[in-house]
Amino acid sequence: MEEQILQLIRKRKQLMTSALAAALLFYFFLPFSLIFIPDVMNRPSFIYSISSAWLYAFLQIPMTWFFCGLYHRTANKIDRQMEGIDKEKSL
């Protein structure tokens, strides 16, 4: 039983680490791209001719929702598995 719980905790830590790394990578790409490739980021995009930098900045909002939703769904799944283990243990 304890091995299953430790495995779920490791799975949750792994999820948090990978989601945090992906979110930070996506977030810090904007300032670094403005520093290193300003010509590309200042080009007008295909949406209303706003610059690519602004388009990328607005994309960070749905990406934040995506990461939060992904984490919420997976954490709930892991919590349900832990509750199932607790119920098995109490029987």
Side-chain angles (χ1 to χ4, degrees):
M1 290 286 174
E2 288 188 24
E3 183 61 34
Q4 290 177 330
I5 291 174
L6 289 176
Q7 187 176 9
L8 287 173
I9 289 171
R10 272 188 240 123
K11 187 176 178 181
R12 190 175 198 158
K13 282 183 181 177
Q14 186 179 23
L15 168 72
M16 287 178 55
T17 305
S18 59
L20 180 66
L24 287 176
L25 185 68
F26 190 80
Y27 175 76
F28 283 113
F29 183 74
L30 179 62
F32 287 129
S33 64
L34 288 173
I35 292 170
F36 296 115
I37 50 171
D39 296 336
V40 174
M41 297 305 282
N42 285 327
R43 281 190 206 149
S45 67
F46 58 91
I47 298 176
Y48 298 116
S49 298
I50 61 173
S51 70
S52 298
W54 278 104
L55 182 65
Y56 189 83
F58 286 124
L59 275 176
Q60 289 184 348
I61 296 169
M63 284 302 294
T64 302
W65 292 340
F66 173 75
F67 283 124
C68 289
L70 178 70
Y71 176 76
H72 180 73
R73 191 177 70 188
T74 308
N76 280 342
K77 182 180 171 184
I78 292 172
D79 286 343
R80 280 193 299 260
Q81 290 175 342
M82 283 190 170
E83 287 176 8
I85 291 171
D86 284 343
K87 285 181 183 177
E88 287 179 12
K89 190 177 181 180
S90 64
L91 292 178

